[in-house]
Amino acid sequence: MYVAIVGAGPAGFFSAAALLKVDDPTVHIDMFERLPTPWGLVRSGVAPDHPKIKSVSAIFTKTAAHERFRFFGNVEIGRDVTRRDLLTHYDAVIYAVGAQKDRPLGVPGETLPGSVGASEIVGWYNAHPDRSHLTPDLSVRAATVIGNGNVALDVARILTMQPSALGNTDIADHALRALADSKIEDVTVVGRRGPLQAAFTTPELRELGELDGVHVNVDPADLADITDDDLSAASQVTRMNIDVLRDLATRPRLPGQHRQITLTFRRSPAELRGADRVEEIVLARNELRDEGGRTIAIDSGERERLPTGLVVRAIGYHGNRLESVPFDEGRGVIPNIDGRVDGEMGEYVVGWVKRGPSGIIGTNKKCAQDTVDTILSDLAAGTLKPSERPAAPPDLVERSGAKPVLAEHWLAIDRHELAAAVTSGRPRIKLSTWRELLAVGHETVQPH
């Protein structure tokens, strides 16, 4: 059976690994990726100071070396290869394209300079080639991050870390230089609901309190109304989070802590203000209400004004429509039943574009296996039938005029980045522009 996987992130690689273990039928996989590099968020989304999470790329590398696996980077579906091409040449197509677009705040002033999405900042410091041209203004004193998930904490942490602590990571060189000159002293992380509803994980939260030279400010009043009954009804993660927050709330600001992260709750952005760029944010104070077992935030009508020169929205991601593939604009996902694209046969979906932007890297492993189980179920039912002819993606790509980054090209990029870091003490020094990536890949590996 010949399967095309669109997207080279964790969901795509976990799907490939699961399919390559299938004995009957024998599965051949071609993976298509818009970027010149694989690994998706493991390369361009995981914070640079979290190398253990990035180590999962070793598993992906092993999958990519399988004799029945081929990689085609720098190939975009809808531009170089069409959906019809894939359905014509493959027995099954799996869409693993993730969610690349930031959800908007939907408030006045959101488009002012100085207001950016988390995907932009995260991509910028992670050397994503689409973000390398960005120049976030770090000359301001105060920044605000909207959101209460791990991405929000990642951004707050990177903006306040000592540059020396980032100097042994794979952070983009341009970001490392900019952060070394940063004037940001205060970062406020804004959550629309309370501490009990915050979505960050305990290790991420605990890390904030371990940052050198950074005081974490938590208002004890935000924790005062949390009862024993609340905690007994909460998850273990939430209970641990409250323990950490209570500890942080008791810590005084120490000499040498020149930067501060403030975790504030029950507030939502109402407006961004400024003449030519963001100068302040207006926050609405919220009241919490239970509706059908779900805690929702209700605007109380009270307002607060907070001076800020940089606003980063980290309130979640939204998928992009992929050519003519069915798409739910409201949820930002490809509609599906157990991973099978709704109303289609031979098309499947996995990862964030299947279930929405939730979970950690490892969550995609079970998600991928569930979709593969659906494929196997369709094979058993006879609604999906493997062909006897091989797919021919090189012909497809060559006819489009694209210059694909094949496995050998990516390995040349990988070797270049690793070699560049040998004397620096860093794990790798990433190439951050399309020109650099394609030049190193294509010029290092000469055509046969």
Side-chain angles (χ1 to χ4, degrees):
M1 185 169 74
Y2 297 89
V3 178
I5 298 179
V6 182
F13 269 102
F14 284 132
S15 299
L19 283 168
L20 290 170
K21 293 176 182 176
V22 175
D23 293 326
D24 185 21
T26 300
V27 181
H28 299 256
I29 292 171
D30 289 333
M31 180 175 282
F32 297 89
E33 168 59 48
R34 185 182 70 86
L35 297 176
T37 57
W39 305 349
L41 286 180
V42 171
R43 178 180 170 94
S44 61
V46 174
D49 61 329
H50 285 173
K52 288 185 179 179
I53 300 176
K54 293 174 182 283
S55 64
V56 71
S57 61
I59 298 173
F60 302 158
T61 298
K62 184 178 179 180
T63 299
H66 197 285
E67 61 182 3
R68 287 184 272 113
F69 179 98
R70 295 188 294 189
F71 176 71
F72 296 89
N74 192 36
V75 176
E76 184 172 350
I77 306 305
R79 181 193 67 186
D80 305 312
V81 175
T82 68
R83 177 192 183 198
R84 181 179 293 275
D85 289 332
L86 297 179
L87 295 176
T88 298
H89 290 275
Y90 293 90
D91 302 312
V93 180
I94 301 175
Y95 302 110
V97 294
Q100 306 89 11
K101 189 165 57 177
D102 291 285
R103 290 187 180 276
L105 297 175
V107 301
E110 182 175 6
T111 59
L112 282 169
S115 170
V116 299
S119 71
E120 297 175 86
I121 289 289
V122 171
W124 170 75
Y125 63 62
N126 271 322
H128 192 297
D130 287 345
R131 308 300 189 192
S132 60
H133 65 284
L134 297 178
T135 54
D137 186 0
L138 306 184
S139 67
V140 299
R141 189 193 68 81
T144 305
V145 183
I146 310 299
N148 252 189
N150 282 348
V151 174
L153 296 194
D154 281 347
V155 172
R157 191 178 67 254
I158 297 299
L159 288 177
T160 54
M161 283 182 72
Q162 298 283 0
S164 58
L166 289 168
N168 62 353
T169 73
D170 67 354
I171 190 171
D173 279 354
H174 56 252
L176 187 60
R177 291 191 297 268
L179 289 165
D181 295 331
S182 173
K183 299 297 187 293
I184 293 176
E185 297 177 357
D186 289 290
V187 176
T188 301
V189 180
V190 178
R192 65 186 174 89
R193 294 187 293 174
L196 289 169
Q197 292 78 40
F200 37 69
T201 55
T202 308
E204 292 270 356
L205 182 60
R206 192 176 288 122
E207 275 184 294
L208 297 186
E210 299 168 353
L211 292 175
D212 183 30
V214 178
H215 173 65
V216 181
N217 180 37
V218 177
D219 187 348
D222 283 332
L223 307 170
D225 61 350
I226 297 176
T227 67
D228 290 342
D229 287 342
D230 291 330
L231 292 177
S232 64
S235 68
Q236 182 180 4
V237 171
T238 298
R239 291 195 296 271
M240 292 190 296
N241 284 349
I242 298 303
D243 285 343
V244 175
L245 289 169
R246 284 174 170 170
D247 173 55
L248 293 172
T250 65
R251 296 187 188 182
R253 187 164 186 170
L254 302 175
Q257 291 183 325
H258 302 300
R259 291 179 172 175
Q260 175 173 272
I261 297 173
T262 297
L263 301 178
T264 187
F265 301 93
R266 300 183 183 90
R267 288 164 177 82
S268 296
E271 184 180 359
L272 276 57
R273 293 178 177 173
D276 300 315
R277 55 166 297 108
V278 173
E279 296 173 4
E280 71 172 14
I281 183 170
V282 179
L283 298 175
R285 291 184 64 94
N286 295 328
E287 297 174 349
L288 302 185
R289 182 182 303 169
D290 183 276
E291 284 196 1
R294 182 172 180 270
T295 302
I296 63 171
I298 304 295
D299 187 348
S300 70
E302 295 183 50
R303 296 291 184 266
E304 297 176 357
R305 294 167 59 181
L306 184 68
T308 189
L310 176 66
V311 174
V312 182
R313 58 185 182 276
I315 57 173
Y317 297 125
H318 192 278
N320 287 329
R321 179 180 290 278
L322 185 66
E323 201 188 2
S324 59
V325 180
F327 192 70
D328 182 335
E329 291 287 355
R331 296 179 56 218
V333 300
I334 295 174
N336 67 93
I337 299 174
D338 299 328
R340 185 189 304 107
V341 177
D342 197 9
E344 305 296 331
M345 184 51 63
E347 292 181 279
Y348 302 87
V349 62
V350 69
W352 279 3
V353 78
K354 168 188 174 182
R355 67 182 190 273
S358 63
I360 57 176
I361 298 295
T363 307
N364 292 292
K365 187 172 185 178
K366 182 181 185 305
C367 179
Q369 186 62 59
D370 289 345
T371 292
V372 169
D373 288 344
T374 296
I375 293 174
L376 297 179
S377 175
D378 288 347
L379 280 168
T383 53
L384 180 65
K385 297 180 181 179
S387 64
E388 297 181 359
R389 47 96 181 110
D395 294 339
L396 290 177
V397 174
E398 287 173 12
R399 287 201 301 269
S400 74
K403 292 186 66 177
V405 171
L406 306 178
E408 58 264 34
H409 302 134
W410 154 243
L411 291 175
I413 294 170
D414 189 44
R415 288 193 299 269
H416 178 96
E417 293 182 340
L418 295 173
V422 166
T423 60
S424 68
R426 300 170 67 184
R428 69 172 61 231
I429 295 179
K430 291 178 179 176
L431 300 171
S432 61
T433 68
W434 282 89
R435 181 184 59 79
E436 292 171 329
L437 289 162
L438 294 176
V440 168
H442 288 143
E443 293 176 14
T444 303
V445 180
Q446 299 299 322
H448 297 297

